[in-house]
Amino acid sequence: MENTKMNIVVSGDICVNVHQWRTRHQGTPGFNWQYFPQFHQDIKNGTALLLAKLVALSTGAAIHSPQLQDNGKSLPPEILRSTQELGLFPVNNNENRNNKVYRVAHFLGFTGPAAGAPTLLPIVDDDVHAPLVILDDNNDGFNSHKEYWPLALKSPGTSPIVIYKTNNPASSNPIWKRIENHHLNNTIVVIYGDDLRSKGVNISKGLSWEKTALDFVWQINNNPTLAYLANARHLIVPLGLEGAIYYKNDKIAAESRLFFMTNEFEGSFIKESQGKMYGLSSCFVAGLAHSIVSGLQVQEDLTKSVEEGIREGIVAAQKYFTYGFGENISKSNFPNPLIFTEGENDFIYKEQIQDVPIRNSNNPKCRACWYIIKDKSSTGLSEIAYDIVKNGEKSALKFIPIAKFGNLITVDRTEIEGYRSIKNLILEYISAKNIARPLSIAVFGTPGSGKSFGVTEVASSIAPGLIQKLNFNLSQLQSLADLVAAFHKVRDLSLEGKLPLVFFDEFDSSFNGNLGWLKYFLAPMQDGVFREGDSLHPLGKAIFVFAGGTSNTFTEFCGETIHDETEYKQFFKQFQSAKGPDFVSRLRGYVNILGPNQTDEHGDHLFVIRRAMLLRSLLERKTPHLINEYKQAQIDDGVLRALLKAPRYKHESRSMEAILEMSRLSNAKKWEQSHLPSKEQLKLHVDEEQFSRHLMHDAFFSEKIDQLAMDLHNKSVYLREDNYYPDSSCLCPWDDLSEERKTSTRNLAKHIPSALRKINYDVVSVEEKPAAIEFTEKELRILAEYDHKRWSLEKKEAGWKYSKLFNDLRKLHPLLIPWDNLTPEIQYKIMENIKYWPEILADSNFTIERLKSLCYCETQL
C-alpha cells in the first residue's frame, strides 16, 4: 500500500531477539569440525522496532520510530536481549511435513543491563502532527519515561488516533493516565486475552466462543480490576489467532462484538508440533493500522475501520506465524512482505472471519441461552435444520461455529463446551508424567444419545495410535470376579504401552443394592490399584469413562433435580450409603450427551439442529443414493418436516435410524411419504398420530387455504372504510370479489405461517378446534410491519405504484409506502386485522404454538 504522504509514529519498549540455530554441514567433510552440528546466530529487531517494521510493510506510510545503528549488529550492553533457539517445523498442521520453516523452539531467557532499566531509544524525526501514533508498552520502562513518548502524545492541542498495545494494563501507569486524560476518545487499546487472564481476570478459553465472550462481558461490567479499561472508548481483546472481542464505550452505552473463525476455537490454530513465534500481537496491530490508515484517507468512521482492522489483524497474524522465519534464515525476508498482501492461494481470507454482537446481560437465564447460531441466521432454527438435511452441514453452517472431533461434528454450544472440557482433561492426562491413577470422567445421556460414540471420537482425535477402547457393561456382570477380570484386561493393555479408554456402561445400575458398583471403583480411581484376594495390582495409566444407564444427566445422578426437601433428604441418605459423594469426588469431569430429543423445554434450544445433523449423517451413510451430485438430499418436505418436528423419539437416535431403515428406500430416487413404514411400525418409535399430522401439514394447510382466505376477508370487511383500502370493490362478499382480489387474500393466508415465525410461533394442525391465543401489542406490530412489507412487494411486482390517490385502472395505491411512513391510524387498522388470525386458524383446526427452540429472552415479546 503506497501512502508516503501520511506520517505514523511508532514507539515503545526496546528489545532485540538473539537467534541461535543448528544445521548440518552441506559439503563434503574434510575437517573434523565439519562432522559436528554447525552453530549459527543472528539478531532481529523486537518489540517497538519490529512493530515499526511491520507497520511500514502493512501501510506503506512514512514511519517515524526508534532505530538501532548497524541493524543491531553492534549493541550497547544496556539493550534488552531475548534469546531464542530456533528449529525447523511443519509449515502447517495439514501440509506435507517435509515442507518446513524456522520458528522458535525454546525461549531461553532475557539478558538485561547489570543495573538499572533497559535502554530506551528516541524517535528519529518525531512528528508532533502525526495523525496516527502506535505504542508498544511491554512494561519494560517506556510507560514511565515521558522523554521517549511521541510529541503527538504529550504536546498540548494534539489529537492523533492512538493504538496502545500493552500486555500489563494498570490504572497507575503514567502513559495510560496521559491517554486517559487527553486522548481517550481516539485511543484503541489492544491487550490479548491471555494477558488479562494472567492478571486474574476469569475468562474461559477454548470451550466455546459464546462462553468466552459472555465471560468477558461479565468481567468488564463487574470486575473492579478492569474498571479503568471499561472506560476505554475502543478496546480490542485478541483471543489467540482465531478471534477477538471489540468493546466500544461511547459514554452513553457500552457494547461488545465477537469476531471469530467458525472452524477454529481460541488456541487451536497453533499446534504444539509447530513451534512458537514472537511478534504475533505486533503483526495483529500492523493489520489493524492498515485499516485505520485506509479509513483516515476517506474519513471513515473509526468504528468501521476498527472492525475491518480486526479482520485484517487476525489474517496477518496467522500468515506471520505460518511463514515463520522462512526456510532459510539467511536468505528469507523477515518479516515476509506477503503477510499483508492477499493471494489467490491464501489459506485464510478476512471474509472468513465472522462477527456477532455479544449479549450484554447479567440475567443468568439470558447468558445461558445465547447461541451464535441464532444471531448469525436471518431465518429460524427450523429453517437452518431444513437446510442442513437438504444441503449438508458444510453449506448450511458456513457462518456458524462448529466443533469437529474425528467423525463427530456438533454446533450445540452445550455439547461443544462439554466435549472440549473432556478433550482438555485427556490432553493434560496424556502429557502428565508419573501419574499412577486413571483419569475418571462420567458421561450421561438417554439411551441411544451416542454416549460411547462422542467420547470415543474425542479421545481418538487426540491420540489415535495410543488410545485403545475397552467396553464393559456393569449391568451384565454377575460378580466381583467379573469386575476383577475387567481390571486385568485394562492392566494388560496398559502394559502393552497402550492407553486404555475403558467404558463402564450403566455404572449406576444396581448390584446388591442401589448404585452397588460405586464402592468397588473407589480404590482404583483414587490409588490406581485393584484388589484380587490378598494381592493389589496396579492398573497403570488409563481413562475410565463411566456411562450412566439410569440417570440422564449429572445433576439427576446427584439428585439435584429433586426439589422436594423430604424426598431429597431420603435420596441423599441412600446416595451417601452407596458412596456416591466419594465417587463424585474422584471424577475429574463429566459431559451430558444430548440426543435428538429436547432435554429441557427452557434450556435446550438446539435439539432440532441435532436432529437435522443426525438425519443428514444417516442419509449419507445408509442411503447415499438419495444424495445427488450437488450434495442435495432427495427427501419430501412432508417427510422432512415430520422427522424434524416429531415431539419425541421413544428411543432417541436409534428410533430415527430405525425409521430410515424401515422405509422402502433401496430403489427409491427420493424419500417420498409412500416409502415410510406403516403406522404400527412408526408407533414403536414416535407418536404416530402427531407424526402423521406433521407429515400432512402442508397438505392440510393447502387444503384449507380457500376457507382461510374467505374468513380473512369476512373478518376484515368492516375495517375497509376511511380510506384504509380505498378500493370500494373490496367491500363486497367473497363470492363477488374479482379473482385478483381472491388471489391476493389467498397469498396472505399462505404467508401466515412465515409471518408467525417472525414472532417465534409455529402453525400446527390438530384434530379438534383449539382455543385461540391473543397476540401482545409488540407481536401485533411485528406481524403488521412484516405483512405490510409482503403486501407492498406483491403489489409492486404486479405493476402497482405509489400515488396519493387510489386508481385501480392505473394501478396506483396510496399505501405503497414504508411502514414507518404510514399514519398511526392506518397502522392501527392493519394490526386490528391481524388480531383475528388466531381465531381464523382455530376455526380450521390449526393451533398456534410457541417454537420449542426459544430461549428465555425470545419469549419476552
Side-chain angles (χ1 to χ4, degrees), residues 329-347:
I329 297 179
S330 59
K331 295 181 180 179
S332 301
N333 286 330
F334 175 77
N336 192 322
L338 295 177
I339 291 168
F340 302 104
T341 60
E342 187 174 292
E344 290 183 8
N345 299 316
D346 280 354
F347 63 90

Side-chain angles (χ1 to χ4, degrees), residues 669-721:
K669 294 182 179 179
K670 183 177 181 179
W671 191 353
E672 303 282 4
Q673 296 185 24
S674 59
H675 296 138
L676 286 165
S678 66
K679 282 191 174 184
E680 289 72 23
Q681 290 175 301
L682 284 171
K683 191 174 183 179
L684 296 170
H685 300 283
V686 291
D687 182 321
E688 78 282 6
E689 291 298 330
Q690 290 178 313
F691 189 89
S692 295
R693 297 199 78 79
H694 284 301
L695 186 72
M696 298 297 294
H697 175 274
D698 292 341
F700 290 154
F701 200 80
S702 297
E703 184 180 274
K704 297 184 178 180
I705 286 295
D706 273 353
Q707 183 61 51
L708 290 169
M710 189 185 307
D711 292 344
L712 285 167
H713 173 76
N714 292 337
K715 287 287 186 183
S716 58
V717 162
Y718 83 99
L719 293 170
R720 302 230 174 111
E721 55 190 27

Side-chain angles (χ1 to χ4, degrees), residues 105-167:
H106 302 288
F107 286 101
L108 301 178
F110 287 94
T111 304
T119 290
L120 298 171
L121 297 174
I123 299 165
V124 177
D125 297 327
D126 196 359
D127 181 4
V128 69
H129 300 296
L132 177 60
V133 170
I134 305 176
L135 306 174
D136 191 346
D137 180 3
N138 212 40
N139 199 35
D140 283 324
F142 170 76
N143 55 36
S144 59
H145 284 76
K146 186 176 180 180
E147 63 272 25
Y148 294 100
W149 297 356
L151 291 173
L153 187 74
K154 60 187 180 182
S155 300
T158 57
S159 57
I161 292 176
V162 179
I163 300 178
Y164 177 50
K165 180 176 85 72
T166 179
N167 65 357

